[in-house]
């Protein structure tokens, strides 16, 4: 794979960390450029808190809401997020975790990974871990949260 990738004139990475990892694996550093993901600053501007999302999810108005967004997969760290949330949940009973994203892999290990994350959160934070799947209203979801 490295030889194939090094056959390209240019490669684009989305972060310095990703670039460094691939260069460490043998990708020619002269071929790699970093172009960070763009953000529409008009669409994703901070606004007053969005309460309709909290109502939709059954989250109390005075809850502290942490939001995570991303694909559910082994390398995305949802298991570490679950461990952290479980630790914090006992200390902060008003903590609600909103998890936005989907699993696209049908591999057995990835299906089991998602099931384990869901089970861990359901056991430790009953009614306070909200898996919302894919959402096209991310600005509202983000403005409903206290922490991203």
């Amino acid at each position: 794979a490295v030889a194939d990738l090094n056959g390209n004139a240019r490669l684009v990475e989305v972060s310095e960390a990703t670039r460094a990892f691939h260069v460490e694996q043998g990708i020619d550093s002269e071929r790699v450029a970093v172009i960070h993901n763009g953000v529409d600053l008009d669409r994703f501007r901070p606004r007053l808190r969005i309460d309709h999302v909290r109502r939709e999810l059954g989250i109390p108005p005075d809850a502290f809401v942490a939001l995570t967004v991303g694909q559910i997969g082994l390398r995305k760290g949802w298991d570490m997020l679950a461990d952290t949330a479980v630790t914090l949940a006992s200390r902060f009973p008003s903590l609600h975790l909103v998890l936005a994203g989907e699993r696209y892999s049908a591999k057995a290990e990835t299906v089991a990974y998602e099931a384990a994350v869901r089970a861990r959160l359901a056991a430790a934070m009953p009614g306070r871990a909200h898996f919302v799947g894919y959402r096209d209203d991310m600005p509202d979801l983000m403005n409903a949260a206290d922490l991203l």
Side-chain angles (χ1 to χ4, degrees):
V2 169
D4 287 345
L5 288 170
N6 279 330
N8 291 292
R10 292 297 272 169
L11 299 168
V12 177
E13 303 283 0
V14 298
S15 71
E16 291 295 340
T18 305
R19 180 187 186 280
F21 173 80
H22 286 134
V23 168
E24 185 178 296
Q25 301 305 308
I27 300 297
D28 179 3
S29 64
E30 297 298 315
R31 298 178 192 275
V32 183
V34 173
I35 300 176
H36 298 280
N37 289 329
V39 175
D40 181 339
L41 296 178
D42 288 328
R43 186 166 183 235
F44 288 95
R45 72 184 183 284
R47 295 178 293 217
L48 295 176
R49 195 174 88 189
I50 305 291
D51 287 328
H52 74 84
V53 172
R54 287 176 179 231
R55 284 191 303 274
E56 170 196 335
L57 299 175
I59 298 173
D62 60 342
F64 184 89
V65 177
L67 168 67
T68 189
V69 180
Q71 181 180 350
I72 301 172
L74 296 166
R75 68 176 191 264
K76 294 294 186 173
W78 285 52
D79 55 335
M80 289 184 281
L81 175 71
D83 290 345
T84 302
V86 166
T87 299
L88 294 174
S90 61
R91 292 179 50 203
F92 302 98
S94 72
L95 174 66
H96 281 250
L97 182 60
V98 177
L99 304 102
E102 293 184 352
R103 173 184 45 79
Y104 294 104
S105 172
K107 292 180 181 176
E109 65 185 356
T110 308
V111 172
Y113 174 83
E114 178 184 8
V117 168
R118 285 177 177 271
R120 177 127 167 84
L121 291 171
M125 301 177 64
R128 295 191 292 149
H130 311 270
F131 285 81
V132 298
Y134 173 84
R135 297 286 292 238
D136 60 6
D137 62 342
M138 287 310 303
D140 285 354
L141 214 57
M142 292 169 76
N143 281 295
D146 299 297
L147 174 70
L148 174 63

